[in-house]
Amino acid sequence: MEDLESKIKNFINGINPDTLKILKFGNMLPTIVKNFLVYEIASMESIEKNVQENEIKNFYLKNNINNIKSLSKLLKAKNLTQEELHYQITLPSKIYKFAEDNLKNELNEYFLKKKEFLDEYTFNIIRVKKSDLAHELYFQIDSGESDFLKLSKRYSFYSPLYPEGVFGPRNLNGFNPIIINKLLSSTIGNLIMPFQVDEWWLIIKLLEKKQAKLDKKTTKMLLIEIFNNYVEKLTKNSLENHFRLD
């Protein structure tokens, strides 16, 4: 949006040259510009008064703010004014409203692009240190001689992510690419041959795959991602154009 680009340009031009130099040397300027851009966008958006009041009320309840003293204590700890605190509380709603009004046309394509990472997987998993042990356990499971739960309790290195050898349901965001590729190419009930990830040998059996849907929750999450990508891109382009002209 041209108006936002011109505001960024005017904002940078208004920074003291010495301060600008420090910000550039410290690679802090992109963050400053992004925060400015988000502030400008939030200033353009308004949410209904009752929605705003409910969000502030819920924040106060969640943080046990029930009198002036507790509010003052929080404001002092965060080094904020009450106006600044309320800005931060209502900012997510204003960001979402902007994204819904201006960026929703990108939603379907973005969802299709991200879908395989939004599908939720449930699978058995055992992780051990030695290849020989991993293959021995694999053959015990594959032949029906033993099962995942029994072998997981006895041999698998414990992880709070998958107690008793079961993980999920959860999407694949943040997973090691090797595990992602194994799961994407697997079918329900398929026992995957042992494979190595870093120092671990893993055995995985895919139990369930739940297809992602563009429901209200997913729509909101993706629109926020689209907004963040938009701010990132606009900041990058504005800085490149500004300093190219210099």
Side-chain angles (χ1 to χ4, degrees), residues 72-83:
S72 298
K73 184 178 179 181
L74 177 72
L75 295 175
K76 185 178 180 180
K78 290 182 174 291
N79 195 27
L80 295 171
T81 65
Q82 187 172 358
E83 181 184 6

Side-chain angles (χ1 to χ4, degrees), residues 202-229:
L202 306 182
I203 311 167
I204 285 177
K205 181 179 181 180
L206 182 58
L207 300 175
E208 184 182 7
K209 178 180 177 181
K210 185 180 179 182
Q211 298 285 342
K213 296 180 180 179
L214 197 53
D215 55 17
K216 187 175 181 180
K217 179 181 177 182
T218 303
T219 294
K220 186 171 185 177
M221 178 186 73
L222 293 183
L223 278 176
I224 296 300
E225 285 188 19
I226 292 170
F227 173 84
N228 289 333
N229 293 339

